[in-house]
Amino acid sequence: MKAVFFTGATGGLGESCVRELAQRGWTVFAAGTNEGKLRELAVNPNIIPIRMDVADLDSIKAAHEVVLSRTDRLDALVNFAGLTAFTSMVEGEAIAMTERLLDVNVMGPVRVNYVFFDMIEKGHGRIVNCSSSAGWMKAQPFAGPYVLSKWALEGYNDSLRRELMYLDIPVIKIQPGSFRTKISGVVMEGFDRALAGTKRYRYVLNKMKPLMDAILRRSGDPQKLAMVVVKALEAKRPRLQYRKASGLLSLLEILPERGVDGVYKLFGKKRRKNG
C-alpha cells in the first residue's frame, strides 16, 4: 500500500483529495489544523490524521515523528496547505497579510519538504506542491500578497525540481483556479473589509464586484481537482505541472501587459455627466 503525507488535509480542496486517495487504497497521513475535520477523517481506516501547522517548525518535526512511528518511507508528499487574501497593498493590513501568506504558502512547503525529505528519498517518492492559477497568470489588483506568495512558490518548485532531478525524485506543481470551497467566502470577506476600510478605492471595488461574483459562480467541483492530484501521484511519467479550472481571468493571457492594464483601468473610469 502506497503512503502519502498530505498537508492542508482539513481544507475544502485538501479534504476532497485525501478522501479520494484513501478510497484508491493509499495510506494517507492527513495533516491539518482543524481538529474537528481531523476527527471526521479518522473514521476512514486508510487515513491517519495529524494535527500540524505548516508555519510551526516544531509542529512539523512532531508530525514527522508520528509518521516515522509507522513507516520510514513515503511514496509522495503533497503540500496543499495555503491561505488566500483580498487586500490593497497600500491600505489596511497589507504588511501583516503579506508576511502571513508568505509564511504559510511559501515557507510552509519549504519547511515540510525539508523535514520529510529523508522519507521521500527512502521511498523513491515524489513531491507535489500546490500553486495556483495566480502563480502563472498576469497579476491581478488587490491580490498582491496571494500573487506574491504563489509566484514565489512557483520559483521554489522549479528550482527544487531541477535540484532533485539529480536524485530521480519528481517535483510537480498543481495550478488550480477557483473551486467551490470555503475559500470563496474568505475572499468575499476580504473584499468586504477592503471596501469598508478603503480611502482610495471605493469606486473601483464597487465596479469590480460583479466580476468577482461571476468568477466565484463559475468555481469548479473540488472532486475534479482531486482527480488531477491522483494523476500527479499515480502517473508513471507525471507532467511538470497540472492546470485545472483557470477561469475567466485566463482570457487576459492573450493580451500584452499594457493591454491587461487597460482592461483593469476601465474599472476606475467614471461616466461623464452630460451637459
Side-chain angles (χ1 to χ4, degrees):
M1 184 178 289
K2 290 188 174 182
V4 56
F5 185 79
F6 201 110
T7 77
T10 56
L13 294 179
E15 182 182 355
S16 296
C17 297
V18 163
R19 291 188 183 278
E20 180 63 32
L21 289 168
Q23 185 176 334
R24 296 176 69 86
W26 285 73
T27 295
V28 185
F29 295 94
T33 56
N34 186 320
E35 295 183 1
K37 285 288 185 181
L38 289 174
R39 286 192 293 271
E40 292 177 13
L41 290 172
V43 174
N44 190 310
N46 287 347
I47 299 176
I48 297 98
I50 301 175
R51 172 69 170 80
M52 190 193 81
D53 182 353
V54 299
D56 183 342
L57 185 58
D58 289 336
S59 175
I60 297 169
K61 290 179 177 178
H64 181 271
E65 291 302 311
V66 172
V67 177
L68 194 59
S69 69
R70 292 176 175 264
T71 181
D72 66 346
R73 64 197 63 211
L74 290 168
D75 297 283
L77 192 164
V78 181
N79 289 290
F80 247 63
L83 298 175
T84 189
F86 185 100
T87 183
S88 163
M89 290 300 292
V90 294
E91 292 184 333
E93 300 179 345
I95 295 174
M97 189 69 73
T98 303
E99 289 176 341
R100 176 62 174 157
L101 264 65
L102 287 173
D103 196 26
V104 173
N105 294 358
V106 184
M107 288 307 300
V110 170
R111 295 184 189 101
V112 172
N113 291 338
Y114 182 91
V115 171
F116 279 87
F117 185 70
D118 60 334
M119 305 182 85
I120 286 292
E121 190 171 27
K122 284 184 180 179
H124 304 288
R126 61 186 63 178
I127 294 173
V128 174
N129 296 311
C130 185
S131 178
S132 165
S133 58
W136 65 269
M137 293 194 307
K138 293 179 175 66
Q140 306 148 30
F142 307 106
Y146 185 67
V147 170
L148 175 59
S149 71
K150 292 304 182 179
W151 282 23
L153 181 62
E154 293 265 332
Y156 162 71
N157 179 94
D158 294 350
S159 181
L160 182 66
R161 184 184 73 246
R162 290 175 179 138
E163 176 183 338
L164 298 190
M165 68 182 183
Y166 298 115
L167 304 177
D168 293 324
I169 293 175
V171 178
I172 305 145
K173 59 188 172 188
I174 307 289
Q175 298 168 316
S178 178
F179 284 86
R180 293 192 299 272
T181 67
K182 290 182 179 179
I183 288 179
S184 299
V186 172
V187 172
M188 289 310 303
E189 288 173 7
F191 177 90
D192 291 340
R193 282 195 303 272
L195 182 59
T198 186
K199 297 178 181 178
R200 300 173 176 88
Y201 301 116
R202 184 170 299 279
Y203 179 83
V204 173
L205 292 177
N206 276 319
K207 291 277 284 184
M208 280 188 172
K209 192 172 189 307
L211 175 62
M212 282 194 58
D213 290 341
I215 291 171
L216 294 178
R217 280 197 307 270
R218 290 171 174 261
S219 294
D221 179 358
Q223 185 60 29
K224 292 184 178 179
L225 182 62
M227 298 312 299
V228 172
V229 174
V230 167
K231 288 181 182 178
L233 294 186
E234 296 186 350
K236 290 183 178 180
R237 293 176 60 86
R239 300 178 190 172
L240 300 183
Q241 63 192 30
Y242 292 84
R243 293 177 180 173
K244 192 68 176 176
S246 297
L248 289 173
L249 291 177
S250 64
L251 297 177
L252 294 178
E253 295 305 301
I254 64 175
L255 299 177
E257 290 288 353
R258 287 191 181 277
V260 176
D261 287 355
V263 171
Y264 281 119
K265 198 173 289 186
L266 293 175
F267 291 102
K269 287 189 175 181
K270 298 182 180 181
R271 294 181 180 176
R272 294 180 180 178
K273 293 182 179 179
N274 295 327

